[in-house]
Amino acid sequence: MSADHDPAEDGVRLQKLMAAAGVASRRVSENLIEAGRVEVNGEVVTELGRRVRESDLVSVDGVAIQLDTSRRYLMLNKPVGIVSSLQDDRGRPDLQRFVSRYQERLFNVGRLDAQTSGLLILTNDGELAHVLAHPSFGVMKTYIAKVDGRVSAQTIAKLTAGIELEDGPIAADKARIVGQAGAAQTMVEITLHSGRNRIVRRMLEAVGHPVIDLVRRQFGPLHLGTLAAGEIRDLTKVELGALLTISREADRTAATETEEG
């Protein structure tokens, strides 16, 4: 490569890749670029001749977009009885039945135990999966638990103040009572960023309210919504943008802390 070679001359025109990624039509993409609303690798780009690669980090109005169309991002409402594995070595029902229809080699982000249902992300984007699954990045997860007994306000306060488990202390980031399920059962919403094994079940057990049923309703900016148990769908552009933005901000923060360290 010559000394005066400009890497920006490689690749594909930015507006063409934006259109291919489904961000907007090429004409609208050009308007976004000229208006200074598009960033490439953290720098505002206003010239239409700019060329980029699929690996470049592009955002529109501060929201990240994915130029690499080989990446796939799915939301599954995992039913009870399915283990969070693509090939269970004990022959139990696993995630293969949901991903076998896709050509990409997908994997799950984090886990839900077999008796917990709800939102599970499946992707072939390893970098994103690492950020979303690693507790140090603080991605919040919200669960609705049906528990045995009538939960008091004091118990909710205990969950958020912190309790001691066999593998160390833990506190919910948020917790609240959302209703009663009969005379002797309570519906509790609990939000936390911990990725420890069966953590919600163990916390509620520790305060005297064993879990009867547990559903993960939210993972970071993603909401399960009306997606039925056993159903799977692609993330919307808005949902994907929110996830990618979290991932890239986490990467930048980690890089800054490494440099300062």
Side-chain angles (χ1 to χ4, degrees):
M1 183 179 294
S2 63
D4 59 355
H5 176 79
D6 184 357
E9 294 178 358
D10 294 336
V12 179
R13 285 180 181 271
L14 176 57
Q15 60 267 37
K16 183 177 180 180
L17 267 186
M18 288 172 63
V23 176
S25 69
R26 194 178 301 193
R27 172 57 61 190
V28 172
S29 296
E30 290 174 350
N31 293 339
L32 292 170
I33 294 168
E34 290 179 322
R37 296 168 62 184
V38 180
E39 292 185 4
V40 177
N41 299 326
E43 297 181 0
V44 175
V45 172
T46 56
E47 67 272 16
L48 297 180
R50 176 62 182 268
R51 292 179 178 271
V52 296
R53 296 176 175 175
E54 290 181 338
S55 57
D56 285 321
L57 304 182
V58 177
S59 63
V60 179
D61 293 334
V63 177
I65 62 175
Q66 177 59 275
L67 298 180
D68 186 351
T69 55
S70 71
R71 299 297 189 188
R72 190 117 202 192
Y73 306 87
L74 301 165
M75 179 192 298
L76 169 68
N77 186 347
K78 187 191 82 67
V80 171
I82 303 292
V83 297
S84 294
S85 170
L86 291 166
Q87 187 173 6
D88 184 60
D89 55 9
R90 291 162 55 184
R92 295 171 295 179
D94 56 30
L95 298 173
Q96 191 59 41
R97 65 187 62 196
F98 303 104
V99 303
S100 58
R101 73 191 78 168
Y102 299 99
Q103 292 183 338
E104 297 88 354
R105 186 183 179 190
L106 301 166
F107 46 87
N108 47 295
V109 178
R111 304 175 67 85
L112 289 174
D113 67 66
Q115 295 310 306
T116 299
S117 63
L119 199 162
L120 194 63
I121 301 169
L122 296 156
T123 186
N124 58 350
D125 186 336
E127 293 181 9
L128 178 78
H130 171 70
V131 170
L132 294 181
H134 202 286
S136 66
F137 293 112
V139 178
M140 296 295 183
K141 288 150 279 194
T142 298
Y143 300 79
I144 300 291
K146 180 194 289 187
V147 303
D148 189 36
R150 295 186 70 87
V151 178
S152 67
Q154 290 81 3
T155 297
I156 295 295
K158 188 182 297 184
L159 289 169
T160 54
I163 57 176
E164 190 72 32
L165 298 178
E166 66 274 10
D167 54 352
I170 184 70
D173 294 279
K174 292 187 290 185
R176 66 188 182 102
I177 298 168
V178 294
Q180 300 298 323
Q185 296 175 353
T186 307
M187 305 296 293
V188 176
E189 180 183 271
I190 185 166
T191 299
L192 69 171
H193 63 271
S194 171
R196 283 151 64 176
N197 188 41
R198 297 173 62 84
I199 189 64
V200 176
R201 292 179 182 274
R202 292 192 290 127
M203 289 177 72
L204 290 165
E205 176 82 34
V207 294
H209 295 283
V211 170
I212 299 167
D213 186 45
L214 185 62
V215 182
R216 182 158 70 193
R217 296 291 309 174
Q218 185 174 349
F219 192 116
L222 303 184
H223 296 261
L224 195 59
T226 58
L227 191 67
E231 293 295 313
I232 190 169
R233 66 168 175 83
D234 287 287
L235 297 188
T236 67
K237 288 291 187 294
V238 172
E239 289 171 334
L240 177 56
L243 280 189
L244 291 172
T245 300
I246 288 173
S247 175
R248 292 176 188 177
E249 287 176 351
D251 284 341
R252 281 195 292 268
T253 299
T256 301
E257 289 176 349
T258 300
E259 291 173 1
E260 292 177 349

